[in-house]
């Protein structure tokens, strides 16, 4: 009799976990749709910044990529965009300096647009789970997922604490730009499919 009871409890726990994760999006202010919100048509590579060799035959090609027009981000205002597969959020401090950070939090991947900026601490508060992320290095500052009460605590227990990506940022030619590996997505997919083919012995024809 213990077996079926334990199985039912395990199944119930899994269903509760799925319900909590699925409900996370309900707390997001809008949902990530940078093209609709920013009105910026897409990424444009202004100039390659570097192409450094890495282990193996691949090259990591970094470039300064446009996020949005500079005049669209006044102090206190934010803009986000999807750049080469990476969600980027940028804004401007009261002194005119621009900042950039991942547009998605590291817990559930929901948007950080509209998060409160603490200029003294140089942090951005995730509007969904209340986590403070450093605008300098992306690390968590203070408590992990402190809000809303109860649900935030559950999310913080389910998902391990992690920082977020903070790219280099600049203003050039009337645009806010971030330094990004423009080939990152292609390289990831290349490695993924090579792994699939390796498992079948097809990358070098070794099995055929």
């Amino acid at each position: 009799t213990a077996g079926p009871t334990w199985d039912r409890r395990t199944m119930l726990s899994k269903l509760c976990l799925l319900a909590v994760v699925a409900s996370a999006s309900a707390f997001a202010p809008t949902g990530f749709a940078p093209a609709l919100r920013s009105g910026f048509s897409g990424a444009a590579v202004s100039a390659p910044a570097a192409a450094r060799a890495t282990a193996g035959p691949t090259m990591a090609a970094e470039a300064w990529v446009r996020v949005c027009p500079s005049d669209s981000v006044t102090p206190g205002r934010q803009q986000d965009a999807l750049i080469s597969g990476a969600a980027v959020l940028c804004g401007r401090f009261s002194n005119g300096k621009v900042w950039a950070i991942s547009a998605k939090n590291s817990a559930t991947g929901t948007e950080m647009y509209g998060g409160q900026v603490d200029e003294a601490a140089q942090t951005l508060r995730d509007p969904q789970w209340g986590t403070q992320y450093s605008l300098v290095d992306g690390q968590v500052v203070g408590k992990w997922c402190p809000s809303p009460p109860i649900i935030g605590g559950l999310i913080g227990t389910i998902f391990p604490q992690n920082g977020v990506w903070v790219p280099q940022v600049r203003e050039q030619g009337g645009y806010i730009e971030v330094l990004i590996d423009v080939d990152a997505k292609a390289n990831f997919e290349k490695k993924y499919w090579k792994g699939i083919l390796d498992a079948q012995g097809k990358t070098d024809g070794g099995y055929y």
Side-chain angles (χ1 to χ4, degrees):
T1 58
T5 302
W6 176 255
D7 289 342
R8 285 196 296 272
R9 289 178 179 175
T10 302
M11 183 176 293
L12 181 60
S13 298
K14 290 181 178 179
L15 288 174
C16 290
L17 174 60
L18 288 174
V20 170
V21 174
S23 65
S25 60
F27 293 89
T30 53
F32 187 71
L36 295 175
R37 183 162 49 241
S38 70
F40 189 59
S41 59
V45 177
S46 61
R52 64 177 186 271
T54 58
T58 60
M59 300 288 287
E62 289 185 334
W64 286 100
V65 183
R66 293 173 180 175
V67 179
C68 61
S70 291
D71 59 10
S72 69
V73 181
T74 53
R77 187 175 178 182
Q78 300 174 11
Q79 289 279 23
D80 53 10
L82 196 61
I83 307 294
S84 298
V88 181
L89 175 67
C90 63
R92 191 183 298 275
F93 293 115
S94 59
N95 64 5
K97 183 180 177 181
V98 293
W99 53 262
I101 195 169
S102 168
K104 296 183 178 182
N105 65 44
S106 57
T108 56
T110 44
E111 68 171 48
M112 300 229 280
Y113 179 87
Q116 183 178 357
V117 174
D118 184 331
E119 293 200 14
Q122 292 197 318
T123 59
L124 175 73
R125 183 182 183 274
D126 169 25
Q128 181 163 340
W129 306 121
T131 303
Q132 298 271 358
Y133 293 99
S134 169
L135 291 169
V136 177
D137 59 14
Q139 295 302 306
V140 173
V141 178
K143 294 183 178 180
W144 172 244
C145 298
S147 64
I150 302 176
I151 295 178
L154 288 173
I155 292 296
T157 301
I158 296 168
F159 298 98
Q161 177 174 318
N162 285 300
V164 294
W165 170 62
V166 172
Q168 294 183 50
V169 61
R170 73 178 185 183
E171 291 188 88
Q172 181 79 16
Y175 289 91
I176 295 176
E177 301 179 339
V178 294
L179 186 63
I180 193 170
D181 179 2
V182 295
D183 292 334
K185 186 176 181 181
N187 287 339
F188 172 81
E189 291 174 348
K190 185 188 301 181
K191 291 177 181 178
Y192 171 80
W193 286 111
K194 184 178 184 299
I196 296 295
L197 294 174
D198 276 341
Q200 301 176 33
K202 294 179 180 177
T203 52
D204 59 3
Y207 294 177
Y208 298 95

